[in-house]
Amino acid sequence: MAGIDVMAFFATGVSLVTYFYGFMNFNITKSATAVTNFMGTAFLLALFGAFLSDTYLSRFKTCVLFGCFEVVGYALLAVQAHFRQLRPFPCKDVPLSQLNQCESANKGQLAILYAGLYLVAIGTGGVKAATPPLGADQYDEKDPKEAAKLSSYFNWLMFFLTTGALFGVTFVVWISENQGWDWSFAACSIVVGLAILFLTMGKSLYRNNVSNGSPITRIMQVFVVALRNRNLPLPENEHEIHDKESRNDTEILRKTDQFRFLDRATIMRTDQNTFTSSAHGPWKLCTVTQVEETKIVVRMLPIILSTVFMNTCLAQLQTFTIQQSTTMDRKIHKFEVPGASIPAIPLLFMIILIPIYERVFIPIARKFTGIPTGIRQLQRIGVGLVLSAMSMAVAAIVEKHRKTVAIKHNMVESATPLPMSVFWLGYQYAIFGLADMFTFVGLMDFFYSESSSSMKALSTAISWSSLAIGYYTSSVVVSIVNKVSGGWLDNNNLNKDKLDYFYWLLAGLSVLNFGFYLLCASWYKYKKVDVNPEDVLLSKEAKGKIETNIV
């Protein structure tokens, strides 16, 4: 399901800038902003899907429900692309004599466009929130053998996501370029529908989570109770209050010394200000584990913020770099590579390197570090951030060379492809592909492993929210740069724009961002868990019953 969702979503994401510019008559800047807003909203809505998954629905039900929204969204886009009266007369490749026929999309056409886009955004957001933790739930973290395989699961999840994305930017993009956008959107709708069907066929085989109430409510309770008890002294011997009626997990988090003001949520208020173990309501008394869950979320926030800018850089590779490709020679003998298929370069690198990382690097690193995953998740994220900065620097160098070629051949005003191969863009894509392999997988593994059992979907969605904020930040950065610089990116002609300056700016900011990340990572403390042996035994017995039923 995850691979199919990414195939459709990624193919649409990399192609939309061309669709907006060539068929909906948006200008270059508006096309880039519209794409990043759509992508950002899709990733941000993963938080909403995660909330429903953790609180009211199972991961499985969330995948099916939101997948249906996605199917309808793609179908609506296909209908608009098919019927000429539902979109404006396209300005792409229009002769000068017919330029007067170009017109902006009217309100009705924009309403259909945005309705389809944001139904897709809602659907893919829920699927992205629920699918990774649904797969991870099939591994029992309390079983040492299965827990060791959890990190490998995220590596192979990334492998299949990458494979799906590669299929999307090649085959699906080829359909849009050669058969039409209506066929492309229709294909996305059909394959996502089939993915939902296949997912439901395996329902009886899945280990499904049981909702334990809203994780957001549990966090709010800690802050409310801690605020009520703000004037009380912290007790010296705090203890975990076991409330078996309200807790279904086997995880007991150890108390940490960070954010000690939240520990006041574990204090029992009495007239004599003494401490007892009497049961109180959740808005009056919290367990130590509940407080530690909240501390984990608070500790995660700086990590999220320090990875946002990398995704701002990623947004440029799906907007401006795609537009760069349309100005370059995309032919391989007689075959012309679609501009939106250029992201296949980093995807190919990732497909090759992920198995090497999993089968070669991790075993070797494990011998030196003693860490089951080879290196810790935060170290892996840091490597990706360094590679991201390098990618932007290379992008600036390549863009400078592209503009030099345009000037040399007197083609600044020409719409004819430059005598420069589009595969020059492969350098920045390849480096960023490596960055994505390190950072994104590290983030998903980090947030799933560090979160408590009642917040798995929410924490996984937090890693997607980093992408969302990055795309939104991209729109803001582009607008600010245009205003402050006097229009680096505002000529509607890349040969006149100063895109290379913009890339150098992103590279410099990425270096500063990495410094901020180092401070956040060195400050973070990994969680420590105590496990109830009796509950683990029950968990293993339940697992045995599931396996027996499957057989």
Side-chain angles (χ1 to χ4, degrees), residues 63-375:
C63 288
V64 173
L65 175 62
F66 281 83
C68 292
F69 285 122
E70 194 174 354
V71 170
V72 174
Y74 283 124
L76 187 58
L77 291 173
V79 170
Q80 182 179 43
H82 182 73
F83 292 101
R84 167 68 187 82
Q85 58 270 31
L86 297 181
R87 51 188 173 82
F89 184 86
C91 291
K92 180 183 179 182
D93 300 328
V94 171
L96 294 176
S97 59
Q98 298 181 16
L99 280 178
N100 61 337
Q101 297 184 47
C102 293
E103 56 186 12
S104 301
N106 61 41
K107 293 182 179 179
Q109 293 166 341
L110 289 176
I112 296 173
L113 173 67
Y114 289 126
L117 282 177
Y118 287 96
L119 276 173
V120 171
I122 293 171
T124 192
V127 171
K128 284 175 171 57
T131 306
L134 175 62
D137 286 345
Q138 310 313 307
Y139 298 90
D140 187 357
E141 288 186 280
K142 310 303 180 297
D143 185 331
K145 292 183 179 180
E146 292 195 23
K149 297 178 181 179
L150 185 59
S151 180
S152 293
Y153 159 74
F154 284 107
N155 284 327
W156 290 115
L157 172 66
M158 187 63 174
F159 177 82
F160 286 108
L161 292 180
T162 302
T163 302
L166 178 63
F167 193 81
V169 300
T170 51
F171 182 67
V172 178
V173 167
W174 180 86
I175 293 177
S176 66
E177 292 275 340
N178 294 275
Q179 303 300 318
W181 287 96
D182 50 348
W183 285 94
S184 174
F185 290 134
C188 291
S189 182
I190 292 171
V191 294
V192 173
L194 291 174
I196 296 171
L197 177 63
F198 291 141
L199 182 71
T200 54
M201 291 172 62
K203 180 182 178 182
S204 61
L205 306 179
Y206 305 141
R207 179 186 294 158
N208 287 308
N209 68 301
V210 179
S211 299
N212 291 327
S214 169
I216 297 177
T217 301
R218 290 169 60 82
I219 293 172
M220 291 177 60
Q221 287 169 349
V222 171
F223 281 103
V224 169
V225 178
L227 185 63
R228 286 181 67 246
N229 296 345
R230 63 188 179 278
N231 295 323
L232 298 180
L234 288 169
E236 295 181 0
N237 297 315
E238 295 161 66
H239 54 275
E240 174 67 270
I241 301 172
H242 297 280
D243 186 355
K244 291 300 182 181
E245 294 181 357
S246 65
R247 295 190 60 79
N248 297 316
D249 54 81
T250 63
E251 202 173 57
I252 302 173
L253 300 179
R254 296 182 190 175
K255 180 182 172 301
T256 60
D257 293 330
Q258 288 180 317
F259 309 112
R260 282 186 54 83
F261 67 92
L262 294 178
D263 293 338
R264 287 186 170 86
T266 64
I267 299 175
M268 176 78 68
R269 288 180 67 97
T270 66
D271 292 337
Q272 296 77 24
N273 287 339
T274 58
F275 312 119
T276 71
S277 60
S278 303
H280 276 235
W283 292 96
K284 296 181 179 180
L285 181 66
C286 301
T287 65
V288 171
T289 288
Q290 187 177 350
V291 170
E292 292 303 318
E293 288 174 342
T294 305
K295 289 182 180 181
I296 288 172
V297 174
V298 175
R299 285 198 298 266
M300 285 179 174
L301 292 179
I303 301 296
I304 274 292
L305 292 176
S306 59
T307 59
V308 164
F309 198 78
M310 172 182 169
N311 295 307
T312 300
C313 297
L314 172 63
Q316 314 318 313
L317 299 186
Q318 295 180 345
T319 53
F320 288 116
T321 305
I322 298 297
Q323 291 170 334
Q324 282 177 281
S325 71
T326 63
T327 71
M328 304 169 75
D329 181 10
R330 293 181 279 122
K331 288 186 177 181
I332 302 177
H333 298 294
K334 295 182 179 181
F335 176 73
E336 185 173 75
V337 179
S341 292
I342 301 303
I345 296 172
L347 296 174
L348 285 169
F349 270 89
M350 292 169 70
I351 287 176
I352 295 170
L353 292 175
I354 289 174
I356 294 175
Y357 181 89
E358 173 67 26
R359 298 299 186 188
V360 179
F361 175 79
I362 290 180
I364 294 175
R366 186 185 296 135
K367 293 179 180 180
F368 292 97
T369 64
I371 300 172
T373 55
I375 58 176

Side-chain angles (χ1 to χ4, degrees), residues 297 299-309 311 443 446-447 459-467 469 513 516-517 520:
V297 174
R299 285 198 298 266
M300 285 179 174
L301 292 179
I303 301 296
I304 274 292
L305 292 176
S306 59
T307 59
V308 164
F309 198 78
N311 295 307
L443 275 175
F446 172 71
F447 286 117
S459 62
T460 304
I462 289 175
S463 61
W464 292 110
S465 71
S466 174
L467 283 163
I469 301 171
N513 178 72
F516 173 66
Y517 172 79
C520 297

